[in-house]
């Protein structure tokens, strides 16, 4: 059913005190961005909820689909507008209940009166509208405690608004309220989920990918672009930085003992990510690491890798099981792309027996024979940056051809 308005209920924003207006303003901006290509809408943002007035009611379903992934929304309801004439209110109530009839047979009317001059009080409204709906919609039974359909009728000075459906939102905090961080995006299952988890906490992300041609292919790079585009569906757009990493990886494997190459590779990646972070104004680095999952994700390895940077490293999946990560990947739509069998720079040159308990002094000694500073600076200068949106795959038909 087409609606004139959408009523948005805040989630965690409601717990904020003096900063609440800043969070509400950011949520309003994020919603404007996600609806920017539709007909202009008007916002009425209050302390506890927000109304979006649609210019074109025929866009209701599109607006609903765009609002579902917006972080900061606990739930929302399409709202139908009626005149203050009681007969018009009754007819709109019947139409609305028929539109959501599939939800069940148990029914309730909940009236509110912001306009205290309206001739009927809330009990009289409940009785008049409820009895009319029961006479005109077959099979309904009144249930006051746990109704399947709760028809909310709100009388305001300018009109009467009705809603009968509550749609679950994405929850979390509006993106942008938690500052910005750099996501190390490999192309596997974990790092996209880590990026999603941090965006849900209000963090804006820019992604960093390490590309090692000819050992990693164009298919692998396109796969990462596609993952970035999927994640951008939660934020509007995401900038992806693609770092040429071949020269550094080859140098590591020429100079560092094989069982320490993995540790040294991760340290160089973190150093480069930190340099890009500084240029982008990010305040932290995000990784998809999960404790004990692979050799580089032991506490000893993390200690040796972290030693190259004092920047906060955010690991939202550190205590997650692989099955939990897979479930989230399926939920957010990254799973099918992540499992495409194309190599990334973390899987090439993998030593047969990597150190799971590397010694910091040893890896620093092995790296001391090479001027990695110059190589890192060269990689940062040659980094390619591209801004991706959710429409990337549709725009870039080459992706389909590649696979």
């Amino acid at each position: 059913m087409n609606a004139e308005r959408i009523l948005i209920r805040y989630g965690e924003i409601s717990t904020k005190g003096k900063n609440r207006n800043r969070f509400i303003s950011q949520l309003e901006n994020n919603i404007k961005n996600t609806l920017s290509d539709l007909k202009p809408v008007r916002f009425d943002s209050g302390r506890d909820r927000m109304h979006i007035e649609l210019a074109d009611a025929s866009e209701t379903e599109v607006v609903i689909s765009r609002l579902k992934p917006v972080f900061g929304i606990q739930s929302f309801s399409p709202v139908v507008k009626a005149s203050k004439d009681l007969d018009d209110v009754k007819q709109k109530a019947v139409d609305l209940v028929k539109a959501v009839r599939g939800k069940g047979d148990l029914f309730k009317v909940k009236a509110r009166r912001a306009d205290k001059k309206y001739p009927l009080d809330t009990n009289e409204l409940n009785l008049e509208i409820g009895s009319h709906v029961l006479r005109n919609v077959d099979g309904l039974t009144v249930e006051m405690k746990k109704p399947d359909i709760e028809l909310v009728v709100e009388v305001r000075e300018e009109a009467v608004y009705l809603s009968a459906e509550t749609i679950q939102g994405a929850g979390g905090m509006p993106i942008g309220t938690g500052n910005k961080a750099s996501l190390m995006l490999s192309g596997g299952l974990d790092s996209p989920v880590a990026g999603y988890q941090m965006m849900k906490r209000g963090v804006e992300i820019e992604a960093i990918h390490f590309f090692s041609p000819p050992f990693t292919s164009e298919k692998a790079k396109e796969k990462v672009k596609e993952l970035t585009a999927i994640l951008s569906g939660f934020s509007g757009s995401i900038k992806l930085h693609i770092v040429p990493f071949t020269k550094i990886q080859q140098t590591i494997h020429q100079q560092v003992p094989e069982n320490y190459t993995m540790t040294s590779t991760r340290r160089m990646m973190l150093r480069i990510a930190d340099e890009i972070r500084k240029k982008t104004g990010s305040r932290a680095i995000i990784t998809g690491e999960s404790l004990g999952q692979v050799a580089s994700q032991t506490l000893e390895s993390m200690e040796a890798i972290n030693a190259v940077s004092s920047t906060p490293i955010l690991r939202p999946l550190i205590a997650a099981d692989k099955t939990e990560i897979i479930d989230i990947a399926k939920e957010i739509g990254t799973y099918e792309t992540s499992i495409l069998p194309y190599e990334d720079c973390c899987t090439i040159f993998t030593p047969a027996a990597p150190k799971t308990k590397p010694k910091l002094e040893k890896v620093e000694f092995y790296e001391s024979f090479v001027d990695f500073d110059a190589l890192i600076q060269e990689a940062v200068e040659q980094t390619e940056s591209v801004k991706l949106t959710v429409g990337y795959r549709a725009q870039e038909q080459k992706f389909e051809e590649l696979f």
Side-chain angles (χ1 to χ4, degrees):
M1 186 175 185
N2 292 341
E4 284 82 12
R5 288 186 170 210
I6 305 291
L7 166 64
I8 290 178
R9 303 173 189 85
Y10 307 141
E12 205 171 326
I13 293 177
S14 301
T15 66
K16 301 300 175 187
K18 295 180 180 178
N19 291 325
R20 184 184 297 195
N21 287 341
R22 181 173 68 84
F23 284 80
I24 293 172
S25 177
Q26 184 66 55
L27 176 60
E28 184 177 315
N29 286 334
N30 294 350
I31 294 173
K32 283 178 181 174
N33 287 337
T34 197
L35 303 180
S36 61
D37 60 327
L38 303 180
K39 301 278 178 58
V41 298
R42 195 176 72 81
F43 286 81
D44 179 10
S45 301
R47 183 174 175 78
D48 299 311
R49 53 187 178 171
M50 177 186 294
H51 285 270
I52 302 176
E53 189 172 335
L54 307 186
D56 185 351
S58 68
E59 292 182 332
T60 301
E61 291 302 321
V62 179
V63 172
I64 288 173
S65 67
R66 300 275 185 93
L67 291 178
K68 285 181 179 177
V70 176
F71 295 125
I73 298 176
Q74 187 65 32
S75 65
F76 58 97
S77 297
V79 176
V80 173
K81 183 179 180 180
S83 72
K84 298 182 81 167
D85 178 76
L86 185 59
D87 288 337
D88 188 39
V89 176
K90 288 178 176 177
Q91 185 56 52
K92 291 285 173 56
V94 170
D95 294 342
L96 192 55
V97 171
K98 285 182 176 177
V100 298
R101 185 67 179 82
K103 292 184 176 296
D105 299 328
L106 305 179
F107 164 75
K108 170 186 177 182
V109 178
K110 185 177 180 180
R112 298 193 187 103
R113 266 195 336 159
D115 178 8
K116 302 301 182 187
K117 296 179 181 177
Y118 197 73
L120 300 181
D121 64 21
T122 53
N123 288 331
E124 290 169 334
L125 279 167
N126 288 336
L127 179 61
E128 285 284 340
I129 297 170
S131 58
H132 184 76
V133 170
L134 288 171
R135 286 194 296 271
N136 290 277
V137 182
D138 294 335
L140 291 178
T141 301
V142 174
E143 167 57 51
M144 300 306 289
K145 291 184 177 179
K146 292 183 179 180
D148 300 316
I149 302 169
E150 183 174 81
L151 176 64
V152 177
V153 180
E154 186 167 347
V155 181
R156 292 194 170 191
E157 287 191 7
E158 72 280 7
V160 178
Y161 298 97
L162 303 96
S163 64
E165 185 179 16
T166 299
I167 300 168
Q168 194 64 35
M173 304 292 286
I175 290 178
T177 57
N179 217 302
K180 185 162 71 172
S182 298
L183 169 68
M184 296 177 70
L185 186 65
S186 68
L189 281 163
D190 302 337
S191 51
V193 173
Y196 165 82
Q197 295 286 56
M198 293 314 303
M199 285 194 289
K200 189 171 184 178
R201 296 310 304 160
V203 176
E204 177 188 354
I205 65 169
E206 291 197 14
I208 301 171
H209 177 67
F210 294 87
F211 183 50
S212 294
F215 306 105
T216 59
S217 65
E218 283 296 320
K219 293 178 181 178
K221 187 160 76 172
E222 288 300 316
K223 174 183 170 182
V224 171
K225 287 184 177 179
E226 173 65 10
L227 285 170
T228 306
I230 294 170
L231 289 176
S232 73
F234 298 96
S235 62
S237 66
I238 294 176
K239 186 175 282 188
L240 171 66
H241 305 277
I242 301 171
V243 182
F245 199 53
T246 310
K247 197 170 179 180
I248 292 177
Q249 264 192 303
Q250 288 179 318
T251 304
I252 290 171
H253 283 267
Q254 289 166 1
Q255 299 293 331
V256 175
E258 184 182 15
N259 59 355
Y260 267 84
T261 56
M262 180 208 64
T263 306
S264 190
T265 298
R266 298 295 194 279
R267 283 164 57 88
M268 296 307 142
M269 294 167 82
L270 186 56
R271 288 181 64 181
I272 293 171
D274 209 13
E275 291 301 315
I276 294 174
R277 176 199 66 78
K278 293 173 188 172
K279 296 177 83 173
T280 60
S282 295
R283 306 300 296 269
I285 293 172
I286 305 166
T287 76
E289 290 166 307
S290 174
L291 188 61
Q293 188 177 123
V294 293
S296 65
Q297 295 173 17
T298 64
L299 289 179
E300 293 85 350
S301 286
M302 291 182 195
E303 183 180 22
I305 294 166
N306 271 25
V308 300
S309 173
S310 59
T311 298
I313 309 297
L314 307 178
R315 299 180 172 91
L317 308 183
I318 195 66
D321 294 337
K322 197 68 178 181
T323 52
E324 295 173 313
I325 296 170
I326 289 172
D327 287 344
I328 298 173
K330 289 179 177 177
E331 180 186 335
I332 65 176
T334 57
Y335 177 80
E336 295 297 335
T337 302
S338 287
I339 63 172
L340 289 172
Y342 300 107
E343 72 296 324
D344 61 50
C345 67
C346 295
T347 57
I348 60 173
F349 299 124
T350 303
K355 278 284 184 184
T356 57
K357 297 181 179 180
K359 303 292 184 187
L360 177 59
E361 60 274 17
K362 283 191 175 182
V363 70
E364 287 179 336
F365 174 74
Y366 298 140
E367 292 171 0
S368 67
F369 296 95
V370 178
D371 181 9
F372 278 110
D373 290 347
L375 291 174
I376 288 171
Q377 190 59 38
E378 181 181 336
V380 171
E381 290 173 356
Q382 294 177 357
T383 294
E384 169 196 353
S385 298
V386 57
K387 193 173 186 178
L388 295 165
T389 66
V390 73
Y392 169 75
R393 189 169 186 177
Q395 295 165 7
E396 299 288 340
Q397 294 301 321
K398 288 187 296 184
F399 184 82
E400 294 289 352
E401 295 167 9
L402 282 169
F403 293 96

